[in-house]
Amino acid sequence: MQRIAVFISGSGSNLQALINDCREGHINGDIVLVISNKKNAFGLQRAKDAKIKAIYEKDEAKIIELLQQLQVDVIVLAGYLAILSQDFTTKYANKIINIHPSLIPSFCGKGYYGKHVHQAVLDRGVKISGATVHFVNEVTDGGPIIMQETVPVFVDDDVEDLQKRVLEVEHKLLALALSLYCDGKIEIENGKVRIK
Ligand code: GRF
């Protein structure tokens, strides 16, 4: 069983999807720690309700200490809005997985998070969007792509319509990617991901 830490900053609906899938045995892993950089993130309450250690912490050194104490194998960023240092991403190379609410390399990088992503999608008038699960490296949203799934964008969509449609895909995709990771089915060759 892989020992999983999830980092959040907000409501934690992606976290909840992972909690549910771990509990139902769809993921060969245990969420042993939830870290938030926002004191009142509802995701912390979700973790507490699920009897998972939930910590408000912004200091990377303290976070690393907790990860080591709890022997965490893999970190999932689920709506985590702080940028991790290069030391951190190097220390946990290919062990940090992020969910982004667009089809990387479109609408990603500095400033593209949460609703800003969907607003940019609507402003550009693209006809498909979606979600991307990727490994985290020193480049924001720049790590090897693990999985992607598309959603249609309708001309009458507002940000909330699109966010809801993408979020449904995120929940499924992140849980599936984490499940494959925990089963050792994800390989990286020359910066490209192969799923065994
Ligand atoms: C999601 O849209 C995720 O893609 C983005 O932030 C949002 C987090 O939502 N990174 P939640 O906190 O998991 O509900």
Side-chain angles (χ1 to χ4, degrees):
M1 290 284 261
Q2 292 284 293
R3 295 171 64 81
I4 304 161
V6 183
F7 292 13
I8 59 163
S9 297
S11 70
S13 69
N14 277 287
L15 165 67
Q16 190 63 59
L18 299 182
I19 289 171
N20 299 347
D21 272 30
C22 287
R23 184 178 294 152
E24 289 155 23
H26 302 310
I27 297 175
N28 193 9
D30 261 338
I31 301 173
V32 297
L33 175 64
V34 171
I35 295 269
S36 173
N37 68 321
K38 300 283 184 201
K39 206 180 191 78
N40 55 5
F42 182 63
L44 287 173
Q45 189 56 51
R46 292 180 193 265
K48 287 173 190 154
D49 292 348
K51 309 277 186 280
I52 297 169
K53 191 177 183 64
I55 306 270
Y56 161 63
E57 183 55 70
K58 298 170 81 161
D59 180 285
E60 268 195 15
K62 290 185 180 150
I63 291 172
I64 289 174
E65 210 174 297
L66 279 163
L67 294 170
Q68 289 170 334
Q69 265 170 23
L70 292 163
Q71 297 177 308
V72 167
D73 300 303
V74 57
I75 297 164
V76 179
L77 308 185
Y80 187 62
L81 297 182
I83 299 294
L84 297 170
S85 70
Q86 184 160 345
D87 285 351
F88 193 106
T89 57
T90 304
K91 183 177 181 63
Y92 288 95
N94 300 326
K95 293 179 186 297
I96 309 173
I97 294 171
N98 184 47
I99 177 85
H100 182 77
S102 77
L103 298 173
I104 290 175
S106 299
F107 309 108
C108 68
K110 193 164 166 45
Y112 285 98
Y113 60 89
K115 290 186 175 179
H116 300 294
V117 174
H118 305 302
Q119 187 59 63
V121 165
L122 296 176
D123 292 347
R124 184 63 185 85
V126 295
K127 300 308 175 187
I128 57 165
S129 189
T132 302
V133 183
H134 64 94
F135 283 113
V136 173
N137 62 12
E138 67 286 358
V139 178
T140 304
D141 297 330
I145 291 172
I146 301 170
M147 301 180 89
Q148 294 185 299
E149 188 171 326
T150 61
V151 299
V153 181
F154 301 114
V155 70
D156 297 327
D157 274 341
D158 62 17
V159 168
E160 285 66 33
D161 296 328
L162 183 56
Q163 180 177 43
K164 183 172 177 297
R165 194 173 308 130
V166 173
L167 210 43
E168 282 167 21
V169 164
E170 290 178 47
H171 295 163
K172 276 188 328 184
L173 207 62
L174 184 58
L176 178 54
L178 183 58
S179 174
L180 290 167
Y181 181 95
C182 290
D183 288 345
K185 291 186 176 170
I186 293 180
E187 273 180 355
I188 304 180
E189 288 166 22
N190 307 321
K192 305 281 189 308
V193 169
R194 176 189 301 277
I195 294 174
K196 290 188 279 186

